[in-house]
Amino acid sequence: MGLKGFAEGGIASIIAGCSTHPLDLIKVRMQLQGETHATNPAAVQTLRPALAFHTTTPGTTLHVPQQPLPAPAPRVGPIVVGVRIVQQEGVAALFSGVSATILRQTLYSTTRMGLYDILKQKWTDPHTKTMPLSSKIAAGLIAGGIGAAVGNPADVAMVRMQADGRLPPAQRRNYKSVVDAITRMAKQEGITSLWRGSSLTVNRAMLVTASQLASYDQFKEMILEKRLMSDGLGTHVTASFAAGFVAAVASNPVDVIKTRVMNMKVEAGEAAPYAGALDCAVKTVKAEGPMALYKGFIPTISRQGPFTIVLFVTLEQVRKLLKNF
């Protein structure tokens, strides 16, 4: 039963991930809007003229005119971002990094869906055939955390491949595939770079899995208990869309920080743009305001909704097909 749960979850996740990949790519591009990698202010000191020490009196402050900072680029919505990608990079660019998505779903989602199914079977009351919401959340947290740790290399590769097109041609990484991305990262930046932002990935995956899988089961049970609908396509679509909305609200702030940490380019001999997740969060909020943590929320919910619907509708159908195996 356990292995069948992994297979069912893996098939459904790969189908859902590939079908909603363009929406995920637009979300990543929007989350990187407004990101600046200015030189560390502590390292840039205002220079005084050579004779300033001799020509100023104690207590006198020398004012050096500063160049005005460039105005930030205006933020645009998901439709504009999508149109620009097609115009500047071609339609195929909407599927940049799809090989990484397939690998990510194979590693991360297969693991989390299979583990959640095993825990759900073990923790379900054999008499009432029900499981408390707290147990569903706990199962989601455990399954999501383990799945994210397994799939983090593919997640890093996916983010980089999706974001590559927004860089100037001279700065693009131009990964040929997810295998090329992972291989080059390991050689050029060290094997640990494959787990860059892993704490964020784990935290996000725990939130997404707990909110998505637990919400779906809970909404589905409520609909069936109150006999609002029968156990069919309508119930699956309604419960999955509600679960997708809950997952998007819970995970978007962590997702923004994760995207930026994974996408940052670390040059040899130079300080990294972000010292870690907390540093990235602080710099993002200071530079762009607290609502920057919900950047890309519209494409996130636009992606989470269809993704979750395709995921659970496909999962229910796969379960029916594999029922006798």
Side-chain angles (χ1 to χ4, degrees), residues 25 43 47 59 84 100 103 105 113 158 214 222 228 261 272 275 277 312:
L25 184 141
L47 299 177
R84 283 183 181 176
L103 180 61
Q105 296 299 339
M113 298 287 284
M158 183 185 72
M222 289 171 58
L228 299 175
V261 170
F312 287 114

Side-chain angles (χ1 to χ4, degrees), residues 247-263:
V249 172
S251 65
N252 203 86
V254 179
D255 199 26
V256 171
I257 303 305
K258 175 184 77 76
T259 296
R260 295 191 171 195
V261 170
M262 286 183 169
N263 187 60

Side-chain angles (χ1 to χ4, degrees), residues 67-87:
Q67 295 293 330
L69 294 173
R75 297 174 184 175
V76 294
I79 296 176
V80 175
V81 172
V83 170
R84 283 183 181 176
I85 292 172
V86 173
Q87 289 177 339

Side-chain angles (χ1 to χ4, degrees), residues 39-47 271:
T39 309
N40 186 359
V44 180
Q45 299 180 357
T46 304
L47 299 177

Side-chain angles (χ1 to χ4, degrees), residues 42-160:
V44 180
Q45 299 180 357
T46 304
L47 299 177
R48 298 190 305 170
L51 300 177
F53 180 79
H54 302 289
T55 57
T56 55
T57 57
T60 303
T61 303
L62 181 65
H63 296 282
V64 179
Q66 296 182 348
Q67 295 293 330
L69 294 173
R75 297 174 184 175
V76 294
I79 296 176
V80 175
V81 172
V83 170
R84 283 183 181 176
I85 292 172
V86 173
Q87 289 177 339
Q88 297 173 6
E89 305 170 46
V91 177
L94 292 173
F95 285 90
S96 296
V98 72
S99 60
T101 292
I102 294 172
L103 180 61
R104 178 179 180 269
Q105 296 299 339
T106 302
L107 296 175
Y108 158 61
S109 289
T110 300
T111 302
R112 73 176 182 125
M113 298 287 284
L115 287 177
Y116 180 81
D117 189 61
I118 289 173
L119 293 174
K120 189 168 73 169
Q121 290 178 33
K122 289 186 177 294
W123 293 350
T124 296
D125 190 304
H127 302 292
T128 62
K129 301 296 181 182
T130 59
M131 181 177 174
L133 179 60
S134 58
S135 297
K136 293 172 186 169
I137 293 173
L141 291 172
I142 294 169
I146 295 174
V150 172
N152 199 81
D155 209 1
V156 177
M158 183 185 72
V159 167
R160 291 193 173 195

Side-chain angles (χ1 to χ4, degrees), residues 24 33 57 70 78 88 97 120 126 206 245:
D24 195 45
Q33 280 186 138
T57 57
Q88 297 173 6
K120 189 168 73 169
M206 291 172 72
F245 181 81

